[in-house]
Amino acid sequence: NAGVMQNPRHLVRRRGQEARLRCSPMKGHSHVYWYRQLPEEGLKFMVYLQKENIIDESGMPKERFSAEFPKEGPSILRIQQVVRGDSAAYFCASSPRMGPGRGHTEAFFGQGTRLTVV
Amino acid sequence: AQKVTQAQTEISVVEKEDVTLDCVYETRDTTYYLFWYKQPPSGELVFLIRRNSFDEQNEISGRYSWNFQKSTSSFNFTITASQVVDSAVYFCALRWDSNYQLIWGAGTKLIIKP
């Protein structure tokens, strides 16, 4: 059973280009979470998705960032018109179920995508 | 407020020494979960332990041990007989039961010198 798969591992983009980060959750997991890790910092929550639904995007910047988790295929975090401040590691995690108060399970993390904007 | 504080930015010790990484948390919830993750230089996140708020028993796993004290809102991590391979950034994280987000500390960089 493969773990959470993220690709690419490293991504270099010029300022103004688009970055697309992919996350394939573990088999049987239908919940995906994206976190961002700025240099020398801990992770910060960005967005939580279920298949075809965005549940919570309270941590996403209001502009240029979007996320989706289609019925088929990986979850995509899309950053339009990247700027140098977007340079960070982006981690995806997945879990089989959620629900406040309904008993969480561990979120399993992918290896991250390191985005460098030049 | 929900918050995790790792006051030690960087710790450097010589191999075979014991080292303790501190984690202090804040939460209003009575049900919550605490985690430790390791991030080696290669960058991935390695899950080490999860502890729920109702279980204050200390845990030992090989050279690793964790001391959970609700009275001081701390969840400290000790490595005994440290090894060079323990060099990494270690993160403490918190999730409260009515939510799903992990709240992360800033991390402690641990350097083990041979």
Side-chain angles (χ1 to χ4, degrees), chain B residues 45-64:
Chain B
L45 288 166
V46 179
F47 167 79
L48 296 178
I49 191 170
R50 167 195 169 186
R51 173 67 65 194
N52 75 54
S53 54
F54 296 111
D55 183 1
E56 282 193 77
Q57 221 173 11
N58 290 330
E59 176 136 350
I60 298 174
S61 176
R63 296 183 297 106
Y64 295 172

Side-chain angles (χ1 to χ4, degrees), chain A residues 9 35 37 41-43 45 48 56 58 91 98 100-101 104-107 109 114, chain B residues 35 37 39 42-45 47 50 91 95 97-102 104-106:
Chain A
R9 290 291 309 277
Y35 287 80
Q37 183 183 24
E41 293 186 17
L43 280 69
F45 170 80
Y48 160 48
D56 180 357
S58 60
F91 285 92
M98 71 76 64
H104 296 280
T105 58
E106 253 64 80
F109 283 87
R114 272 144 195 85
Chain B
F35 302 79
Y37 287 85
Q39 187 174 43
S42 49
E44 73 271 25
L45 288 166
F47 167 79
R50 167 195 169 186
F91 291 98
R95 184 180 66 214
D97 195 48
S98 57
N99 207 317
Y100 40 76
Q101 295 180 29
L102 284 168
W104 296 73

